Amino acid sequence: MSTPKSDYVSDDWKDGLFSESSIFYSPQAKRILIANLVELENKVVFCTGGAGTICSAQVRALVHLGADACIVGRNVEKTERAAKDIASVRAGARVIGIGAVDVRKYDSLKDAAERCIKELGGIDFVIAGAAGNFLASINQLSVNAFKSVMDIDVLGSYNTVKATIPYLVESAKKHKVDSKTLQPSPAGTGGRIIFVSATLHYRGSPFQTHVAVAKAGVDALSNNVAIEFGPLGVTSNVIAPGPIAQTEGLERLLPPDVKEMYTKSQPLGRLGSVRDIADATVYLLSNTGSYVNGQLLVVDGGSWRTSGDFSYPDFLLAGGEFEGVKGKKSKL
């Protein structure tokens, strides 16, 4: 059964509006309308962690609106299955899934990017979404476990940049916004990268030291990419999701017995959805985001501004430990 459109992209992004041939207006109205829309037809998005709950929704939305995609991951079967499922949202969509890719190894990502170029013809957008997470206090967190998360999140994101930036620069050259008229290229947008981060390091978060430190590094990486490659037309931004319902991360990190209480503690009284993140992605990759560069787009309903921590400090003071921390390494 296919995933309903409403689950992964808002109706505000109308079907077919991203294909020039599908717009039936007067020439003048057509030019105005196209100037305010993203042209995703024949664009290619390259996404690490693309089989994950959030990243697959991001890619699914882009493919639905006209893009083709290459998703990469470590698990071959899961990645290929996700690619096939994403491709089903639009007739004629080309989505390839490349498994056995370790973002901690540059050559692995370089080979995946080259295959993407060969099969899909280019890379216009990149989503760096591969990540690892589990609950552990510093006392319980081994040096190797800490390093593992740093390697996946920070080194993995850097390797993603190194493997794809030449193609993003090439895409940016083809898809420029006219500095005088502020009109986008007739071929639409290109040359943009989004890093999927978090909000844990804004205030500090117990049991998430490894992730907080890693995501701070990812944010800093994005800022520098924005500065160094902005002059070449490439934009680099961060999307920082808050608590997103029905994701692998939230299910693993939030015990079921406190989920209702935690949800009520949120400023908007609800958890986020993967559609919220996908909509933010479309915004940043569209003409609406053409002047957004080096920014952190927090999509968390204001969650990080509240404590939201039901276990602090009692759990720490009691010397509590989380079960299966050593085993979590296999899930990173």
Side-chain angles (χ1 to χ4, degrees):
M1 184 176 179
S2 61
T3 305
K5 176 193 172 186
S6 59
D7 282 1
Y8 59 86
V9 67
S10 295
D11 285 334
D12 298 88
W13 310 102
K14 300 298 182 182
D15 294 358
L17 288 181
F18 300 121
S19 172
E20 183 176 351
S21 61
S22 69
I23 302 175
F24 299 96
Y25 294 97
S26 67
Q28 182 180 5
K30 186 175 180 180
R31 285 195 298 271
I32 295 173
L33 187 56
I34 291 175
N36 290 282
L37 296 174
V38 55
E39 170 63 81
L40 288 179
E41 194 173 53
N42 298 322
K43 297 298 173 53
V44 177
V45 55
F46 181 91
C47 180
T48 64
T53 321
I54 289 178
C55 289
S56 63
Q58 292 174 286
V59 176
R60 192 184 302 272
L62 297 172
V63 170
H64 181 99
L65 296 172
D68 293 321
C70 173
I71 64 172
V72 303
R74 296 192 68 181
N75 187 299
V76 176
E77 182 181 356
K78 181 180 179 181
T79 304
E80 292 179 349
R81 184 172 63 247
K84 184 177 180 180
D85 182 54
I86 292 170
S88 69
V89 304
R90 177 174 57 82
R94 297 180 298 165
V95 182
I96 59 176
I98 307 177
V101 176
D102 188 345
V103 296
R104 296 171 293 185
K105 298 178 180 178
Y106 169 71
D107 287 342
S108 184
L109 271 172
K110 183 174 178 290
D111 290 345
E114 289 176 350
R115 178 179 165 186
C116 178
I117 295 296
K118 181 178 180 180
E119 296 189 24
L120 299 181
I123 295 176
D124 301 290
F125 309 124
V126 170
I127 299 174
N133 199 354
F134 52 88
L135 290 170
S137 66
I138 292 177
N139 284 335
Q140 195 179 3
L141 185 66
S142 71
V143 172
N144 284 336
F146 181 86
K147 182 178 183 299
S148 221
V149 172
M150 291 292 291
D151 284 351
I152 294 172
D153 286 49
V154 182
L155 180 60
S157 294
Y158 183 74
N159 286 340
T160 300
V161 172
K162 292 290 284 185
T164 61
I165 197 65
Y167 310 117
L168 289 179
V169 170
E170 182 179 346
S171 176
K173 289 180 181 178
K174 297 177 182 177
H175 309 107
K176 292 182 178 180
V177 172
D178 188 285
S179 60
K180 293 182 178 179
T181 66
L182 301 184
Q183 298 303 309
S185 158
T189 62
R192 302 187 184 182
I193 182 168
I194 293 173
F195 296 86
V196 180
S197 186
T199 63
L200 300 168
H201 51 295
Y202 298 174
R203 296 174 36 154
S205 182
F207 322 125
Q208 292 281 269
T209 301
H210 43 307
V211 185
V213 174
K215 292 306 186 184
V218 169
D219 291 359
L221 173 62
S222 176
N223 294 340
N224 277 58
V225 172
I227 293 170
E228 291 194 14
F229 291 95
L232 298 177
V234 176
T235 68
S236 176
N237 294 288
V238 169
I239 291 179
I244 305 299
Q246 299 179 328
T247 58
E248 299 170 9
L250 193 69
E251 294 300 321
R252 190 163 64 240
L253 301 177
L254 189 63
D257 58 327
V258 300
K259 186 174 183 179
E260 183 178 354
M261 180 175 64
Y262 180 79
T263 301
K264 288 181 178 179
S265 74
Q266 299 305 301
L268 293 182
R270 70 173 177 90
L271 301 178
S273 70
V274 294
R275 191 183 73 184
D276 293 320
I277 309 304
D279 282 337
T281 303
V282 176
Y283 161 70
L284 286 176
L285 300 184
S286 71
N287 296 328
T288 54
S290 66
Y291 202 56
V292 181
N293 188 33
Q295 300 302 310
L296 305 175
L297 179 53
V298 179
V299 186
D300 78 335
S303 177
W304 78 268
R305 296 185 180 279
T306 67
S307 63
D309 188 3
F310 47 82
S311 58
Y312 182 82
D314 295 342
F315 189 86
L316 282 171
L317 294 175
E321 291 191 352
F322 294 95
E323 296 181 1
V325 170
K326 293 181 179 179
K328 296 296 183 184
K329 184 176 181 181
S330 62
K331 293 184 179 181
L332 295 177

